[in-house]
């Protein structure tokens, strides 16, 4: 493969297997632990068949409000919270529905502001809605520089996606200041807080702490509870926006299964399992940093998230990703997938224990071209 080209996860998994390895997948942010198993709601088999509420069951919304209060110290009424079929689904569809709610304002709002480096569905969601996406400039530490946005872009901005802690860089953003920026300009701030419970160097943050007006915070059980299979998330914030979106989403048939909502409510009410998962995640981040450094991959711990973001030797991430798969059976995420600024980088997930990753990273360090070392781009 030529430098600059993109290896996909499935290709790297196959490549690792072809070279005699049991693939070690460090490309996804899914912890190598079994999902928690909440007890099923009693008597569910006796209930009549029905469609579950698209907005979310009262039980789920109450549990979500309780989580926001305990974790972030913010009081959010259940009328300002709604369910989605996983945070990813909401991220991919929010610009489409927001554009419908803003169609009658008379002011052209055809641009979605997205992180310079970010989750691919931010850009995809803008495209699905027929909108333009514009990547927000960043400073040397990969934090957003909203002040560097061209005025003509801001004037046409429908919404802004912020992700904190950020995927893939681990940066923690000043959410209160970003919320105020959006309110002052009539730009809806959409805060992806899926990794909030993996904040390592600060207290967990939510955009809701500065008020609900003009903002929506999206939360996921995938990282807090290691329960991606439930496919349930929540969004909360401006009650007017929540009302508008829930009406449109209901018409589109975007509904989380009722049994999944019941399970999600139980998990949101239970902090113990989340604290245990957080401790495992923290230990894995520490182990990954130490093992990378021990094997010549100089890096420092991220502020948050489940990933290390590495600049690769010579800027050739495609070759590095291939070598990792061929020589060590390690599957990495190539930085190009998160935006053009990710070229020359890889994302490594801290989802396995030290006993699993140590021998693989040693193999990677002894590959034929391993004399040249990678370094962490965030210091």
């Amino acid at each position: 493969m030529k430098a600059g080209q993109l290896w996909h996860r499935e290709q790297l998994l196959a490549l690792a297997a072809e070279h005699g390895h049991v693939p070690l997948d460090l490309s996804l942010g899914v912890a190598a632990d079994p999902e928690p198993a909440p007890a099923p709601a009693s008597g569910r088999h006796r209930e009549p068949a029905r469609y579950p509420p698209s907005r979310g069951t009262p039980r789920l919304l109450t549990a979500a409000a309780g989580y926001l209060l305990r974790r972030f110290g913010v009081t959010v009424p259940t009328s300002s919270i709604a369910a989605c079929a996983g945070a990813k689904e909401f991220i991919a569809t929010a610009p489409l529905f927001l554009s419908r709610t803003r169609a009658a304002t008379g002011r052209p709002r055809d641009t979605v502001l997205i992180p310079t480096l970010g989750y691919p569905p931010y850009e995809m969601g803008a495209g699905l809605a027929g909108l333009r996406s514009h990547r927000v400039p960043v400073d040397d530490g990969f934090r957003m520089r909203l002040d560097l946005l061209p005025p003509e872009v801001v004037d046409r901005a429908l919404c802004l996606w912020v992700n904190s802690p950020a995927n893939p860089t681990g940066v923690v953003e000043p959410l209160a200041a970003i919320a105020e920026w959006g309110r002052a300009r009539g730009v809806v701030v959409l805060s992806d807080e899926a990794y909030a419970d993996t904040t390592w160097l600060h207290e967990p943050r939510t955009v809701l702490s500065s008020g609900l007006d003009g903002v929506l915070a999206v939360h996921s059980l995938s990282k807090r509870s290691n329960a991606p299979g439930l496919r349930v998330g929540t969004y909360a914030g401006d009650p007017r926006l929540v009302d508008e979106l829930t009406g449109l989403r209901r018409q589109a048939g975007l509904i989380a299964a009722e049994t999944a909502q019941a399970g999600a409510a139980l998990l949101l009410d239970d902090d113990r399992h989340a604290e245990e998962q957080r401790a495992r995640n923290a230990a894995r981040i520490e182990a990954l940093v130490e093992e990378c450094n021990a094997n010549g991959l100089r890096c420092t711990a991220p502020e948050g998230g489940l990933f290390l973001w590495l600049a690769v030797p010579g800027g050739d991430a495609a070759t590095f990703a291939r070598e990792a798969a061929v020589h060590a059976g390690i599957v990495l995420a190539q930085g190009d997938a998160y935006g053009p600024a990710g070229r020359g980088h890889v994302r490594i997930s801290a989802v396995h224990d030290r006993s699993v990753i140590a021998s693989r990273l040693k193999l990677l360090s002894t590959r034929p071209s391993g004399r040249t070392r990678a370094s962490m781009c965030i210091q």
Side-chain angles (χ1 to χ4, degrees):
M1 176 168 280
K2 297 179 181 178
Q5 292 184 310
L6 181 63
W7 285 102
H8 296 287
R9 173 174 173 268
E10 292 74 15
Q11 293 174 304
L12 292 172
L13 287 168
L15 195 59
E18 287 169 9
H19 284 79
H21 301 287
V22 175
L24 179 61
D25 192 352
L26 303 184
S27 68
L28 300 179
V30 180
D33 306 301
E35 287 193 5
S42 61
R44 181 160 303 282
H45 63 284
R46 293 191 296 270
E47 292 179 357
R50 62 184 181 187
Y51 286 107
S54 175
R55 185 170 193 136
T57 63
R59 176 77 178 82
L60 173 60
L61 302 184
T62 299
Y67 162 71
L68 292 171
L69 179 60
R70 295 191 312 277
R71 194 70 176 115
F72 304 101
V74 295
T75 299
V76 182
T78 56
S79 58
S80 294
I81 306 173
C84 51
K88 186 174 186 177
E89 171 267 299
F90 181 86
I91 290 168
T93 58
L96 172 64
F97 296 127
L98 282 174
S99 66
R100 290 286 302 275
T101 68
R102 297 293 177 270
T105 63
R107 185 177 178 182
R109 295 280 189 170
D110 60 1
T111 302
V112 178
L113 303 176
I114 64 175
T116 286
L117 288 166
Y119 194 34
Y122 302 140
E123 183 175 26
M124 185 189 71
L128 288 175
L131 305 174
R132 302 182 298 177
S133 58
H134 185 94
R135 295 185 183 272
V136 178
V138 293
D139 62 19
D140 291 341
F142 290 103
R143 285 179 180 79
M144 284 184 168
R145 286 290 306 273
L146 294 168
D147 58 308
L148 297 181
L149 282 168
E152 63 272 18
V153 171
V154 175
D155 286 344
R156 302 183 73 95
L158 171 71
C159 57
L160 161 71
W161 277 111
V162 58
N163 180 207
S164 180
N167 171 18
T169 63
V171 165
V172 173
E173 296 278 8
L175 294 179
I178 291 172
E180 288 305 319
W181 181 92
R183 292 185 187 111
R185 294 159 180 80
V187 178
V188 176
V189 174
L190 302 172
S191 183
D192 178 359
E193 299 173 8
Y195 293 93
D197 279 285
T198 63
T199 304
W200 310 124
L201 302 185
H202 309 272
E203 288 298 312
R205 299 175 182 177
T206 177
V207 75
L208 305 175
S209 295
S210 63
L212 306 186
D213 182 43
V215 302
L216 292 173
V218 188
H219 286 95
S220 168
L221 289 163
S222 295
K223 311 308 174 189
R224 175 186 183 268
S225 298
N226 191 39
L230 271 182
R231 305 316 306 146
V232 178
T234 60
Y235 59 101
D238 192 314
R240 179 175 53 84
L241 291 175
V242 171
D243 281 343
E244 291 172 348
L245 291 181
T246 53
L248 292 169
R249 289 170 53 81
R250 184 184 304 113
Q251 294 179 48
L254 296 174
I255 305 172
E258 190 164 6
T259 52
Q261 293 192 45
L266 290 169
L267 291 177
L268 286 169
D269 279 340
D270 175 28
D271 292 332
R272 181 175 178 178
H273 83 279
E275 290 166 359
E276 292 171 348
Q277 185 64 53
R278 186 177 190 277
R280 286 192 291 269
N281 291 337
R284 287 167 178 161
I285 279 284
E286 181 179 0
L288 182 59
V289 171
E290 290 177 356
E291 291 296 333
C292 281
N293 279 302
N295 288 284
L297 302 172
R298 297 183 303 276
C299 60
T300 55
E303 293 181 90
L306 297 177
F307 314 107
L308 297 188
W309 181 243
L310 298 176
V312 302
D316 187 354
T319 296
F320 188 83
R322 183 186 184 280
E323 289 181 350
V326 168
H327 296 289
I330 295 175
V331 176
L332 305 174
Q334 207 168 315
D336 308 54
Y338 303 94
R343 189 169 296 115
H345 298 74
V346 292
R347 191 193 75 173
I348 309 178
S349 301
V351 293
H352 289 277
D353 293 336
R354 187 190 300 268
S355 60
V356 176
I357 64 171
S359 60
R360 297 299 188 97
L361 288 173
K362 187 172 183 61
L363 275 177
L364 179 58
S365 72
T366 58
R367 71 196 188 281
S369 60
R371 292 185 299 274
T372 305
R373 306 302 187 185
S375 60
M376 186 71 173
C377 68
I378 301 177
Q379 302 296 330

